[in-house]
């Protein structure tokens, strides 16, 4: 469910996110957005699928949880950005309405199944926050120079 939630989120972001991000962070193009997300989506699907399968390693499951935490942090980014800039942040609706609840449900199931302990969840939360920080930080890159 987590990768599907991310795809829905990308569908909300794509029409307007590059222009919005350029106004508030740095030059972001639609081409750069698509190229970066074409790498993120398959990678995320692989990590989540690997960590969610029966018999997955603890490390794999911790990485899957980190993706979920990162998506929750991304929803928070959109909410904070919308408040700070006083305008709609493309991705806020699906971030808060789809990604965060789906990710939280997945984390709740992992915790309830006893698959991950508190230390594993803390590590996943820190890694997820770092992943989100890297994604937000990439908005400061000069996308046209990187893509051309």
């Amino acid at each position: 469910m987590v990768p599907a939630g991310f795809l829905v989120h990308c569908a909300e972001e794509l029409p307007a996110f590059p222009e919005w991000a350029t106004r508030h962070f740095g030059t972001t193009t639609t081409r750069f957005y698509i190229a970066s997300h074409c790498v993120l989506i398959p990678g995320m699907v692989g990590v989540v699928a690997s960590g969610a399968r029966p018999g997955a390693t603890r490390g794999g499951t911790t990485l899957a949880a980190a993706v979920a935490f990162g998506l929750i942090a991304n929803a928070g980014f959109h909410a904070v950005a919308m408040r700070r800039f006083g305008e709609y942040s493309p991705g806020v609706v699906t971030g808060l309405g789809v990604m965060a609840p789906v990710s939280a449900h997945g984390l709740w199931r992992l915790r309830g199944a006893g698959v991950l302990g508190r230390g594993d969840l803390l590590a996943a939360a820190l890694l997820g926050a770092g992943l989100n920080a890297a994604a937000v930080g990439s908005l400061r890159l000069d996308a046209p120079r990187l893509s051309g």
Side-chain angles (χ1 to χ4, degrees), residues 33-75:
Y33 177 90
I34 291 170
S36 65
H37 284 67
C38 286
V39 171
L40 289 174
I41 293 168
M44 181 186 340
V45 170
V47 167
V48 171
S50 175
R53 68 176 166 65
T57 66
R58 195 159 142 186
T61 304
T62 301
L63 283 176
V67 168
F69 275 116
L71 294 177
I72 291 169
N74 185 260

PDB file of all heavy atoms in Angstrom, residues 33-75:
ATOM      1  N   TYR A  33      12.085  16.384 -12.100  1.00  0.00           N
ATOM      2  CA  TYR A  33      11.131  15.729 -11.201  1.00  0.00           C
ATOM      3  C   TYR A  33      10.838  14.308 -11.687  1.00  0.00           C
ATOM      4  O   TYR A  33      10.905  13.351 -10.913  1.00  0.00           O
ATOM      5  CB  TYR A  33       9.834  16.544 -11.116  1.00  0.00           C
ATOM      6  CG  TYR A  33       8.783  15.891 -10.260  1.00  0.00           C
ATOM      7  CD1 TYR A  33       8.717  16.164  -8.904  1.00  0.00           C
ATOM      8  CD2 TYR A  33       7.874  14.992 -10.789  1.00  0.00           C
ATOM      9  CE1 TYR A  33       7.763  15.568  -8.103  1.00  0.00           C
ATOM     10  CE2 TYR A  33       6.925  14.383 -10.001  1.00  0.00           C
ATOM     11  CZ  TYR A  33       6.868  14.673  -8.655  1.00  0.00           C
ATOM     12  OH  TYR A  33       5.933  14.061  -7.861  1.00  0.00           O
ATOM     13  N   ILE A  34      10.524  14.165 -12.955  1.00  0.00           N
ATOM     14  CA  ILE A  34      10.199  12.842 -13.499  1.00  0.00           C
ATOM     15  C   ILE A  34      11.403  11.912 -13.412  1.00  0.00           C
ATOM     16  O   ILE A  34      11.278  10.756 -12.999  1.00  0.00           O
ATOM     17  CB  ILE A  34       9.685  12.964 -14.948  1.00  0.00           C
ATOM     18  CG1 ILE A  34       8.304  13.649 -14.941  1.00  0.00           C
ATOM     19  CG2 ILE A  34       9.600  11.595 -15.615  1.00  0.00           C
ATOM     20  CD1 ILE A  34       7.799  14.035 -16.311  1.00  0.00           C
ATOM     21  N   ALA A  35      12.579  12.399 -13.780  1.00  0.00           N
ATOM     22  CA  ALA A  35      13.778  11.558 -13.727  1.00  0.00           C
ATOM     23  C   ALA A  35      14.075  11.100 -12.302  1.00  0.00           C
ATOM     24  O   ALA A  35      14.377   9.926 -12.071  1.00  0.00           O
ATOM     25  CB  ALA A  35      14.972  12.321 -14.297  1.00  0.00           C
ATOM     26  N   SER A  36      13.960  11.988 -11.331  1.00  0.00           N
ATOM     27  CA  SER A  36      14.258  11.608  -9.947  1.00  0.00           C
ATOM     28  C   SER A  36      13.219  10.640  -9.410  1.00  0.00           C
ATOM     29  O   SER A  36      13.550   9.701  -8.683  1.00  0.00           O
ATOM     30  CB  SER A  36      14.360  12.850  -9.060  1.00  0.00           C
ATOM     31  OG  SER A  36      13.122  13.523  -8.978  1.00  0.00           O
ATOM     32  N   HIS A  37      11.978  10.827  -9.772  1.00  0.00           N
ATOM     33  CA  HIS A  37      10.931   9.948  -9.253  1.00  0.00           C
ATOM     34  C   HIS A  37      10.891   8.608  -9.976  1.00  0.00           C
ATOM     35  O   HIS A  37      10.420   7.622  -9.420  1.00  0.00           O
ATOM     36  CB  HIS A  37       9.580  10.653  -9.295  1.00  0.00           C
ATOM     37  CG  HIS A  37       9.443  11.654  -8.194  1.00  0.00           C
ATOM     38  ND1 HIS A  37      10.221  12.800  -8.139  1.00  0.00           N
ATOM     39  CD2 HIS A  37       8.675  11.666  -7.095  1.00  0.00           C
ATOM     40  CE1 HIS A  37       9.910  13.471  -7.061  1.00  0.00           C
ATOM     41  NE2 HIS A  37       8.986  12.814  -6.401  1.00  0.00           N
ATOM     42  N   CYS A  38      11.405   8.545 -11.196  1.00  0.00           N
ATOM     43  CA  CYS A  38      11.491   7.256 -11.899  1.00  0.00           C
ATOM     44  C   CYS A  38      12.528   6.346 -11.234  1.00  0.00           C
ATOM     45  O   CYS A  38      12.492   5.136 -11.398  1.00  0.00           O
ATOM     46  CB  CYS A  38      11.824   7.457 -13.371  1.00  0.00           C
ATOM     47  SG  CYS A  38      10.417   8.095 -14.304  1.00  0.00           S
ATOM     48  N   VAL A  39      13.446   6.918 -10.495  1.00  0.00           N
ATOM     49  CA  VAL A  39      14.406   6.135  -9.716  1.00  0.00           C
ATOM     50  C   VAL A  39      13.821   5.833  -8.341  1.00  0.00           C
ATOM     51  O   VAL A  39      13.925   4.713  -7.828  1.00  0.00           O
ATOM     52  CB  VAL A  39      15.743   6.897  -9.575  1.00  0.00           C
ATOM     53  CG1 VAL A  39      16.671   6.205  -8.603  1.00  0.00           C
ATOM     54  CG2 VAL A  39      16.403   7.049 -10.932  1.00  0.00           C
ATOM     55  N   LEU A  40      13.180   6.814  -7.736  1.00  0.00           N
ATOM     56  CA  LEU A  40      12.636   6.642  -6.385  1.00  0.00           C
ATOM     57  C   LEU A  40      11.544   5.582  -6.318  1.00  0.00           C
ATOM     58  O   LEU A  40      11.530   4.759  -5.408  1.00  0.00           O
ATOM     59  CB  LEU A  40      12.057   7.974  -5.875  1.00  0.00           C
ATOM     60  CG  LEU A  40      13.045   9.062  -5.525  1.00  0.00           C
ATOM     61  CD1 LEU A  40      12.301  10.341  -5.178  1.00  0.00           C
ATOM     62  CD2 LEU A  40      13.914   8.624  -4.367  1.00  0.00           C
ATOM     63  N   ILE A  41      10.621   5.613  -7.244  1.00  0.00           N
ATOM     64  CA  ILE A  41       9.463   4.720  -7.163  1.00  0.00           C
ATOM     65  C   ILE A  41       9.866   3.248  -7.242  1.00  0.00           C
ATOM     66  O   ILE A  41       9.511   2.474  -6.351  1.00  0.00           O
ATOM     67  CB  ILE A  41       8.407   5.094  -8.221  1.00  0.00           C
ATOM     68  CG1 ILE A  41       7.827   6.468  -7.878  1.00  0.00           C
ATOM     69  CG2 ILE A  41       7.293   4.045  -8.275  1.00  0.00           C
ATOM     70  CD1 ILE A  41       6.998   7.094  -8.981  1.00  0.00           C
ATOM     71  N   PRO A  42      10.609   2.818  -8.259  1.00  0.00           N
ATOM     72  CA  PRO A  42      10.994   1.401  -8.279  1.00  0.00           C
ATOM     73  C   PRO A  42      11.855   1.010  -7.073  1.00  0.00           C
ATOM     74  O   PRO A  42      11.713  -0.093  -6.526  1.00  0.00           O
ATOM     75  CB  PRO A  42      11.785   1.241  -9.580  1.00  0.00           C
ATOM     76  CG  PRO A  42      11.392   2.399 -10.415  1.00  0.00           C
ATOM     77  CD  PRO A  42      11.046   3.508  -9.470  1.00  0.00           C
ATOM     78  N   GLY A  43      12.731   1.912  -6.655  1.00  0.00           N
ATOM     79  CA  GLY A  43      13.552   1.625  -5.481  1.00  0.00           C
ATOM     80  C   GLY A  43      12.708   1.449  -4.238  1.00  0.00           C
ATOM     81  O   GLY A  43      12.927   0.528  -3.437  1.00  0.00           O
ATOM     82  N   MET A  44      11.732   2.309  -4.067  1.00  0.00           N
ATOM     83  CA  MET A  44      10.852   2.213  -2.909  1.00  0.00           C
ATOM     84  C   MET A  44      10.026   0.933  -2.950  1.00  0.00           C
ATOM     85  O   MET A  44       9.866   0.249  -1.937  1.00  0.00           O
ATOM     86  CB  MET A  44       9.911   3.414  -2.847  1.00  0.00           C
ATOM     87  CG  MET A  44       9.016   3.356  -1.644  1.00  0.00           C
ATOM     88  SD  MET A  44       7.757   4.606  -1.537  1.00  0.00           S
ATOM     89  CE  MET A  44       8.284   5.878  -2.563  1.00  0.00           C
ATOM     90  N   VAL A  45       9.495   0.595  -4.110  1.00  0.00           N
ATOM     91  CA  VAL A  45       8.720  -0.634  -4.240  1.00  0.00           C
ATOM     92  C   VAL A  45       9.582  -1.830  -3.862  1.00  0.00           C
ATOM     93  O   VAL A  45       9.146  -2.715  -3.118  1.00  0.00           O
ATOM     94  CB  VAL A  45       8.151  -0.789  -5.669  1.00  0.00           C
ATOM     95  CG1 VAL A  45       7.566  -2.170  -5.881  1.00  0.00           C
ATOM     96  CG2 VAL A  45       7.096   0.278  -5.928  1.00  0.00           C
ATOM     97  N   GLY A  46      10.817  -1.847  -4.331  1.00  0.00           N
ATOM     98  CA  GLY A  46      11.715  -2.953  -4.002  1.00  0.00           C
ATOM     99  C   GLY A  46      12.014  -3.055  -2.522  1.00  0.00           C
ATOM    100  O   GLY A  46      11.977  -4.140  -1.938  1.00  0.00           O
ATOM    101  N   VAL A  47      12.303  -1.934  -1.889  1.00  0.00           N
ATOM    102  CA  VAL A  47      12.621  -1.930  -0.453  1.00  0.00           C
ATOM    103  C   VAL A  47      11.421  -2.366   0.370  1.00  0.00           C
ATOM    104  O   VAL A  47      11.524  -3.216   1.260  1.00  0.00           O
ATOM    105  CB  VAL A  47      13.116  -0.531  -0.008  1.00  0.00           C
ATOM    106  CG1 VAL A  47      13.135  -0.402   1.504  1.00  0.00           C
ATOM    107  CG2 VAL A  47      14.500  -0.259  -0.574  1.00  0.00           C
ATOM    108  N   VAL A  48      10.257  -1.797   0.069  1.00  0.00           N
ATOM    109  CA  VAL A  48       9.060  -2.135   0.837  1.00  0.00           C
ATOM    110  C   VAL A  48       8.670  -3.585   0.608  1.00  0.00           C
ATOM    111  O   VAL A  48       8.354  -4.313   1.557  1.00  0.00           O
ATOM    112  CB  VAL A  48       7.901  -1.167   0.507  1.00  0.00           C
ATOM    113  CG1 VAL A  48       6.600  -1.631   1.134  1.00  0.00           C
ATOM    114  CG2 VAL A  48       8.246   0.236   0.986  1.00  0.00           C
ATOM    115  N   ALA A  49       8.704  -4.043  -0.633  1.00  0.00           N
ATOM    116  CA  ALA A  49       8.341  -5.436  -0.924  1.00  0.00           C
ATOM    117  C   ALA A  49       9.300  -6.401  -0.247  1.00  0.00           C
ATOM    118  O   ALA A  49       8.888  -7.413   0.329  1.00  0.00           O
ATOM    119  CB  ALA A  49       8.316  -5.666  -2.431  1.00  0.00           C
ATOM    120  N   SER A  50      10.571  -6.091  -0.287  1.00  0.00           N
ATOM    121  CA  SER A  50      11.571  -6.954   0.337  1.00  0.00           C
ATOM    122  C   SER A  50      11.396  -7.003   1.854  1.00  0.00           C
ATOM    123  O   SER A  50      11.464  -8.071   2.466  1.00  0.00           O
ATOM    124  CB  SER A  50      12.973  -6.453  -0.014  1.00  0.00           C
ATOM    125  OG  SER A  50      13.940  -7.195   0.664  1.00  0.00           O
ATOM    126  N   GLY A  51      11.156  -5.865   2.455  1.00  0.00           N
ATOM    127  CA  GLY A  51      11.020  -5.800   3.906  1.00  0.00           C
ATOM    128  C   GLY A  51       9.703  -6.317   4.418  1.00  0.00           C
ATOM    129  O   GLY A  51       9.571  -6.673   5.598  1.00  0.00           O
ATOM    130  N   ALA A  52       8.689  -6.397   3.558  1.00  0.00           N
ATOM    131  CA  ALA A  52       7.361  -6.832   3.985  1.00  0.00           C
ATOM    132  C   ALA A  52       7.126  -8.320   3.771  1.00  0.00           C
ATOM    133  O   ALA A  52       6.153  -8.873   4.288  1.00  0.00           O
ATOM    134  CB  ALA A  52       6.298  -6.029   3.244  1.00  0.00           C
ATOM    135  N   ARG A  53       7.984  -8.981   3.052  1.00  0.00           N
ATOM    136  CA  ARG A  53       7.743 -10.401   2.766  1.00  0.00           C
ATOM    137  C   ARG A  53       8.060 -11.265   3.977  1.00  0.00           C
ATOM    138  O   ARG A  53       8.899 -10.900   4.808  1.00  0.00           O
ATOM    139  CB  ARG A  53       8.554 -10.845   1.554  1.00  0.00           C
ATOM    140  CG  ARG A  53      10.038 -10.879   1.774  1.00  0.00           C
ATOM    141  CD  ARG A  53      10.790 -11.427   0.558  1.00  0.00           C
ATOM    142  NE  ARG A  53      12.206 -11.172   0.605  1.00  0.00           N
ATOM    143  CZ  ARG A  53      13.068 -11.657   1.496  1.00  0.00           C
ATOM    144  NH1 ARG A  53      12.657 -12.426   2.453  1.00  0.00           N
ATOM    145  NH2 ARG A  53      14.342 -11.363   1.431  1.00  0.00           N
ATOM    146  N   PRO A  54       7.380 -12.410   4.085  1.00  0.00           N
ATOM    147  CA  PRO A  54       7.685 -13.332   5.184  1.00  0.00           C
ATOM    148  C   PRO A  54       9.149 -13.774   5.128  1.00  0.00           C
ATOM    149  O   PRO A  54       9.687 -14.037   4.057  1.00  0.00           O
ATOM    150  CB  PRO A  54       6.753 -14.522   4.939  1.00  0.00           C
ATOM    151  CG  PRO A  54       5.643 -13.964   4.104  1.00  0.00           C
ATOM    152  CD  PRO A  54       6.280 -12.888   3.266  1.00  0.00           C
ATOM    153  N   GLY A  55       9.786 -13.807   6.258  1.00  0.00           N
ATOM    154  CA  GLY A  55      11.178 -14.223   6.325  1.00  0.00           C
ATOM    155  C   GLY A  55      12.166 -13.131   5.986  1.00  0.00           C
ATOM    156  O   GLY A  55      13.363 -13.396   5.847  1.00  0.00           O
ATOM    157  N   ALA A  56      11.690 -11.903   5.834  1.00  0.00           N
ATOM    158  CA  ALA A  56      12.589 -10.800   5.523  1.00  0.00           C
ATOM    159  C   ALA A  56      13.573 -10.600   6.670  1.00  0.00           C
ATOM    160  O   ALA A  56      13.269 -10.878   7.823  1.00  0.00           O
ATOM    161  CB  ALA A  56      11.788  -9.516   5.303  1.00  0.00           C
ATOM    162  N   THR A  57      14.741 -10.132   6.320  1.00  0.00           N
ATOM    163  CA  THR A  57      15.730  -9.844   7.359  1.00  0.00           C
ATOM    164  C   THR A  57      15.271  -8.649   8.188  1.00  0.00           C
ATOM    165  O   THR A  57      14.479  -7.815   7.723  1.00  0.00           O
ATOM    166  CB  THR A  57      17.105  -9.513   6.744  1.00  0.00           C
ATOM    167  OG1 THR A  57      16.999  -8.281   6.020  1.00  0.00           O
ATOM    168  CG2 THR A  57      17.600 -10.629   5.848  1.00  0.00           C
ATOM    169  N   ARG A  58      15.792  -8.564   9.383  1.00  0.00           N
ATOM    170  CA  ARG A  58      15.462  -7.432  10.239  1.00  0.00           C
ATOM    171  C   ARG A  58      15.922  -6.123   9.604  1.00  0.00           C
ATOM    172  O   ARG A  58      15.222  -5.115   9.657  1.00  0.00           O
ATOM    173  CB  ARG A  58      16.122  -7.634  11.595  1.00  0.00           C
ATOM    174  CG  ARG A  58      15.592  -6.744  12.659  1.00  0.00           C
ATOM    175  CD  ARG A  58      15.919  -7.379  13.963  1.00  0.00           C
ATOM    176  NE  ARG A  58      16.280  -6.380  14.938  1.00  0.00           N
ATOM    177  CZ  ARG A  58      16.723  -6.676  16.123  1.00  0.00           C
ATOM    178  NH1 ARG A  58      16.884  -7.926  16.474  1.00  0.00           N
ATOM    179  NH2 ARG A  58      17.013  -5.729  16.972  1.00  0.00           N
ATOM    180  N   GLY A  59      17.077  -6.154   8.966  1.00  0.00           N
ATOM    181  CA  GLY A  59      17.577  -4.961   8.286  1.00  0.00           C
ATOM    182  C   GLY A  59      16.668  -4.535   7.146  1.00  0.00           C
ATOM    183  O   GLY A  59      16.398  -3.345   6.970  1.00  0.00           O
ATOM    184  N   GLY A  60      16.186  -5.496   6.373  1.00  0.00           N
ATOM    185  CA  GLY A  60      15.274  -5.189   5.269  1.00  0.00           C
ATOM    186  C   GLY A  60      13.965  -4.610   5.763  1.00  0.00           C
ATOM    187  O   GLY A  60      13.426  -3.663   5.184  1.00  0.00           O
ATOM    188  N   THR A  61      13.471  -5.177   6.852  1.00  0.00           N
ATOM    189  CA  THR A  61      12.223  -4.666   7.423  1.00  0.00           C
ATOM    190  C   THR A  61      12.432  -3.277   8.014  1.00  0.00           C
ATOM    191  O   THR A  61      11.566  -2.411   7.902  1.00  0.00           O
ATOM    192  CB  THR A  61      11.687  -5.646   8.483  1.00  0.00           C
ATOM    193  OG1 THR A  61      11.533  -6.937   7.874  1.00  0.00           O
ATOM    194  CG2 THR A  61      10.344  -5.209   9.016  1.00  0.00           C
ATOM    195  N   THR A  62      13.594  -3.042   8.604  1.00  0.00           N
ATOM    196  CA  THR A  62      13.903  -1.713   9.136  1.00  0.00           C
ATOM    197  C   THR A  62      13.970  -0.695   7.995  1.00  0.00           C
ATOM    198  O   THR A  62      13.478   0.430   8.132  1.00  0.00           O
ATOM    199  CB  THR A  62      15.221  -1.734   9.934  1.00  0.00           C
ATOM    200  OG1 THR A  62      15.091  -2.667  11.009  1.00  0.00           O
ATOM    201  CG2 THR A  62      15.560  -0.357  10.502  1.00  0.00           C
ATOM    202  N   LEU A  63      14.543  -1.075   6.856  1.00  0.00           N
ATOM    203  CA  LEU A  63      14.587  -0.172   5.696  1.00  0.00           C
ATOM    204  C   LEU A  63      13.181   0.126   5.177  1.00  0.00           C
ATOM    205  O   LEU A  63      12.871   1.267   4.817  1.00  0.00           O
ATOM    206  CB  LEU A  63      15.442  -0.762   4.580  1.00  0.00           C
ATOM    207  CG  LEU A  63      16.944  -0.671   4.778  1.00  0.00           C
ATOM    208  CD1 LEU A  63      17.670  -1.396   3.642  1.00  0.00           C
ATOM    209  CD2 LEU A  63      17.401   0.771   4.848  1.00  0.00           C
ATOM    210  N   ALA A  64      12.321  -0.897   5.139  1.00  0.00           N
ATOM    211  CA  ALA A  64      10.936  -0.680   4.713  1.00  0.00           C
ATOM    212  C   ALA A  64      10.245   0.295   5.663  1.00  0.00           C
ATOM    213  O   ALA A  64       9.505   1.185   5.228  1.00  0.00           O
ATOM    214  CB  ALA A  64      10.182  -2.002   4.646  1.00  0.00           C
ATOM    215  N   ALA A  65      10.487   0.143   6.958  1.00  0.00           N
ATOM    216  CA  ALA A  65       9.913   1.066   7.943  1.00  0.00           C
ATOM    217  C   ALA A  65      10.481   2.472   7.754  1.00  0.00           C
ATOM    218  O   ALA A  65       9.770   3.466   7.915  1.00  0.00           O
ATOM    219  CB  ALA A  65      10.178   0.557   9.362  1.00  0.00           C
ATOM    220  N   ALA A  66      11.750   2.573   7.381  1.00  0.00           N
ATOM    221  CA  ALA A  66      12.359   3.887   7.141  1.00  0.00           C
ATOM    222  C   ALA A  66      11.676   4.605   5.984  1.00  0.00           C
ATOM    223  O   ALA A  66      11.462   5.817   6.042  1.00  0.00           O
ATOM    224  CB  ALA A  66      13.856   3.744   6.876  1.00  0.00           C
ATOM    225  N   VAL A  67      11.324   3.861   4.943  1.00  0.00           N
ATOM    226  CA  VAL A  67      10.590   4.459   3.819  1.00  0.00           C
ATOM    227  C   VAL A  67       9.261   5.008   4.318  1.00  0.00           C
ATOM    228  O   VAL A  67       8.879   6.138   3.988  1.00  0.00           O
ATOM    229  CB  VAL A  67      10.381   3.430   2.678  1.00  0.00           C
ATOM    230  CG1 VAL A  67       9.394   3.949   1.653  1.00  0.00           C
ATOM    231  CG2 VAL A  67      11.712   3.094   2.010  1.00  0.00           C
ATOM    232  N   ALA A  68       8.561   4.226   5.136  1.00  0.00           N
ATOM    233  CA  ALA A  68       7.277   4.685   5.672  1.00  0.00           C
ATOM    234  C   ALA A  68       7.458   5.941   6.521  1.00  0.00           C
ATOM    235  O   ALA A  68       6.697   6.910   6.387  1.00  0.00           O
ATOM    236  CB  ALA A  68       6.619   3.568   6.481  1.00  0.00           C
ATOM    237  N   PHE A  69       8.451   5.944   7.384  1.00  0.00           N
ATOM    238  CA  PHE A  69       8.712   7.143   8.199  1.00  0.00           C
ATOM    239  C   PHE A  69       9.074   8.333   7.310  1.00  0.00           C
ATOM    240  O   PHE A  69       8.666   9.470   7.579  1.00  0.00           O
ATOM    241  CB  PHE A  69       9.838   6.892   9.206  1.00  0.00           C
ATOM    242  CG  PHE A  69       9.387   6.263  10.490  1.00  0.00           C
ATOM    243  CD1 PHE A  69       9.831   5.000  10.831  1.00  0.00           C
ATOM    244  CD2 PHE A  69       8.544   6.932  11.376  1.00  0.00           C
ATOM    245  CE1 PHE A  69       9.438   4.407  12.035  1.00  0.00           C
ATOM    246  CE2 PHE A  69       8.145   6.360  12.568  1.00  0.00           C
ATOM    247  CZ  PHE A  69       8.589   5.088  12.903  1.00  0.00           C
ATOM    248  N   GLY A  70       9.849   8.099   6.263  1.00  0.00           N
ATOM    249  CA  GLY A  70      10.224   9.174   5.351  1.00  0.00           C
ATOM    250  C   GLY A  70       9.015   9.786   4.657  1.00  0.00           C
ATOM    251  O   GLY A  70       8.945  11.006   4.472  1.00  0.00           O
ATOM    252  N   LEU A  71       8.053   8.951   4.304  1.00  0.00           N
ATOM    253  CA  LEU A  71       6.847   9.464   3.653  1.00  0.00           C
ATOM    254  C   LEU A  71       5.982  10.258   4.628  1.00  0.00           C
ATOM    255  O   LEU A  71       5.360  11.257   4.250  1.00  0.00           O
ATOM    256  CB  LEU A  71       6.065   8.321   3.024  1.00  0.00           C
ATOM    257  CG  LEU A  71       6.783   7.625   1.858  1.00  0.00           C
ATOM    258  CD1 LEU A  71       5.959   6.454   1.341  1.00  0.00           C
ATOM    259  CD2 LEU A  71       7.103   8.597   0.747  1.00  0.00           C
ATOM    260  N   ILE A  72       5.957   9.839   5.877  1.00  0.00           N
ATOM    261  CA  ILE A  72       5.240  10.614   6.897  1.00  0.00           C
ATOM    262  C   ILE A  72       5.925  11.969   7.069  1.00  0.00           C
ATOM    263  O   ILE A  72       5.260  13.015   7.148  1.00  0.00           O
ATOM    264  CB  ILE A  72       5.161   9.831   8.226  1.00  0.00           C
ATOM    265  CG1 ILE A  72       4.242   8.614   8.068  1.00  0.00           C
ATOM    266  CG2 ILE A  72       4.680  10.730   9.359  1.00  0.00           C
ATOM    267  CD1 ILE A  72       4.302   7.638   9.230  1.00  0.00           C
ATOM    268  N   ALA A  73       7.252  11.963   7.102  1.00  0.00           N
ATOM    269  CA  ALA A  73       7.991  13.219   7.214  1.00  0.00           C
ATOM    270  C   ALA A  73       7.734  14.107   5.998  1.00  0.00           C
ATOM    271  O   ALA A  73       7.614  15.331   6.126  1.00  0.00           O
ATOM    272  CB  ALA A  73       9.492  12.943   7.369  1.00  0.00           C
ATOM    273  N   ASN A  74       7.615  13.509   4.815  1.00  0.00           N
ATOM    274  CA  ASN A  74       7.333  14.277   3.609  1.00  0.00           C
ATOM    275  C   ASN A  74       5.957  14.936   3.690  1.00  0.00           C
ATOM    276  O   ASN A  74       5.797  16.091   3.278  1.00  0.00           O
ATOM    277  CB  ASN A  74       7.440  13.388   2.370  1.00  0.00           C
ATOM    278  CG  ASN A  74       7.267  14.184   1.096  1.00  0.00           C
ATOM    279  OD1 ASN A  74       6.186  14.183   0.523  1.00  0.00           O
ATOM    280  ND2 ASN A  74       8.324  14.850   0.657  1.00  0.00           N
ATOM    281  N   ALA A  75       4.991  14.224   4.234  1.00  0.00           N
ATOM    282  CA  ALA A  75       3.662  14.823   4.429  1.00  0.00           C
ATOM    283  C   ALA A  75       3.776  16.030   5.358  1.00  0.00           C
ATOM    284  O   ALA A  75       3.162  17.079   5.114  1.00  0.00           O
ATOM    285  CB  ALA A  75       2.693  13.790   4.999  1.00  0.00           C
TER     286      ALA A  75
END
